[in-house]
Amino acid sequence: MTSLNLVSRTCPIPFLSHATTAMFPTPNSIISSTKPFSYAFSVSAIVTSNQETIVLDKPATTTTFDFTAYMLRKADTVNKALDAAIAMKEPEKIYEAMRYSLLAGGKRVRPLLCIAACELVGGDEETALAAACAVEMIHTMSLIHDDLPCMDNDDLRRGKPTNHKAFGEDVAVLAGDALLAFAFEHIAVSTKGVSPTRVVRAIAELAKSVGSEGLVAGQIVDTHSEGLSNVGLERLEYIHLHKTAALLEAAVVLGGIMGGGNDDEVENLRLFARSIGLLFQVVDDILDVTKSSEQLGKTAGKDLVADKVTYPKLLGIEKSKEFARKLNQDALQYLAGFDEDKAAPLVALANFIANRQS
């Protein structure tokens, strides 16, 4: 493989110093370590549209912010908007395949982050909804393509057969392509109450996150790192900052742009998102080796089978958990300049990502 200059896309954050240092904080739980934003919420489970149950840790105290209600309400809004955006039409086969994966459920973390960021800087749900749906369309595309035999060759996604298992490889590739193209069309024609300048800025941000400087960059380095014995933390960070964190970052930044945020607000949101993006992947790596396929709704242990480098493989389970706690703390620090009440959904979503069980 050609040597690569593994540099983060913008404003690099020294995550590696967190992963390699022995000086990790060791609180009893990730949620309890989130000062100064010590929002706690009482919730035992969240049921998504496909009846998936997500169990969360239960802190001892609660606030007036009802995270369960917020997540269910926003996810329902997003699901209805996605259903309406891609209605059945001719040719039916491609729309059936697109809807099969797009409406298969899931936690809708990315669109929720987009909406919450928009509301944080003064926008509203309607302002962010088209962008939120577009991000989810692209995320779904990435899952369809990632599951293909030429990539991860997976049979299960969100508790159902993967798209190519249900429709064949040819249709799955085209369904992913169609979702990718439609995502940009959807932002361009369906965004309401936002200036053309901000819409164009958002489209450029989203395109960068998914292309050769974002998701694709992470995917190609990931694919060509399988089986290598010399893959270290720097390359692993590069993979996940691009393959996973880039789209999470785009979701939050799009929300900030659509909501009218100024440059400083958008930049703080970007850094917050980059931290939770890497956090999402660290947790994903941990779950892959500690949970069953039934618990995850997708094939467990596939990284081990593919001989992929992961955080547990390089750091061990406990150090990986400590790194996740540190990333969670770092993420919340970037919200310190915002109104605490308006920041509550993003704080809760960061904690949700840290404590998710699937």
Side-chain angles (χ1 to χ4, degrees), residues 205-219:
E205 183 77 34
L206 185 57
K208 185 175 183 178
S209 76
V210 73
S212 58
E213 294 186 49
L215 190 153
V216 170
Q219 186 70 67

Side-chain angles (χ1 to χ4, degrees), residues 62-122:
T62 62
T63 70
T64 56
F65 178 67
D66 190 338
F67 176 62
T68 310
Y70 178 89
M71 192 153 183
L72 288 174
R73 184 173 66 253
K74 298 298 186 185
D76 183 60
T77 297
V78 169
N79 286 331
K80 289 177 179 176
L82 290 170
D83 188 21
I86 302 184
M88 283 297 299
K89 59 181 76 171
E90 294 291 341
E92 289 189 357
K93 180 60 69 175
I94 193 64
Y95 285 97
E96 184 182 358
M98 291 165 70
R99 289 171 58 84
Y100 175 84
S101 293
L102 186 63
L103 304 179
K107 295 171 279 293
R108 305 306 190 200
V109 169
R110 290 158 189 81
L112 265 64
L113 284 167
C114 183
I115 293 170
C118 181
E119 293 174 335
L120 175 60
V121 297

Side-chain angles (χ1 to χ4, degrees), residues 256-333:
I257 293 171
M258 296 303 194
N262 61 41
D263 289 346
D264 288 341
E265 289 173 330
V266 170
E267 187 60 22
N268 277 322
L269 286 171
R270 183 187 301 281
L271 296 175
F272 161 80
R274 198 167 299 165
S275 293
I276 65 169
L278 191 55
L279 169 64
F280 191 98
Q281 187 60 53
V282 175
V283 172
D284 208 56
D285 283 357
I286 294 169
L287 293 175
D288 188 66
V289 296
T290 59
K291 299 293 182 179
S292 67
S293 297
E294 182 179 7
Q295 290 171 314
L296 294 178
K298 60 182 180 180
T299 307
K302 64 179 182 180
D303 291 340
L304 182 63
V305 172
D307 198 23
K308 284 189 175 183
V309 63
T310 65
Y311 282 97
K313 185 175 182 179
L314 292 182
L315 299 177
I317 294 293
E318 291 308 313
K319 287 294 183 183
S320 296
K321 289 180 178 179
E322 291 171 6
F323 186 31
R325 295 187 189 103
K326 186 66 170 68
L327 288 169
N328 195 22
Q329 287 182 315
D330 290 348
L332 299 183
Q333 295 303 316

Side-chain angles (χ1 to χ4, degrees), residues 5-81:
N5 181 20
L6 302 182
V7 180
S8 299
R9 339 177 20 239
T10 55
C11 300
I13 300 174
F15 287 122
L16 289 174
S17 64
H18 300 158
T20 55
T21 180
M23 299 302 293
F24 289 105
T26 54
N28 291 330
S29 71
I30 294 175
I31 290 178
S32 67
S33 68
T34 59
K35 294 180 181 180
F37 289 96
S38 56
Y39 295 98
F41 44 91
S42 180
V43 53
S44 58
I46 296 171
V47 181
T48 60
S49 61
N50 67 338
Q51 298 300 303
E52 176 186 9
T53 301
I54 305 147
V55 180
L56 305 179
D57 291 344
K58 296 179 67 175
T61 60
T62 62
T63 70
T64 56
F65 178 67
D66 190 338
F67 176 62
T68 310
Y70 178 89
M71 192 153 183
L72 288 174
R73 184 173 66 253
K74 298 298 186 185
D76 183 60
T77 297
V78 169
N79 286 331
K80 289 177 179 176

Side-chain angles (χ1 to χ4, degrees), residues 147-168:
D147 290 335
L148 287 169
C150 63
M151 299 291 281
D152 281 358
N153 193 22
D154 230 329
D155 297 338
L156 193 65
R157 174 68 67 178
R158 290 172 174 168
K160 298 170 61 177
T162 48
N163 198 285
H164 68 275
K165 285 294 182 180
F167 297 94

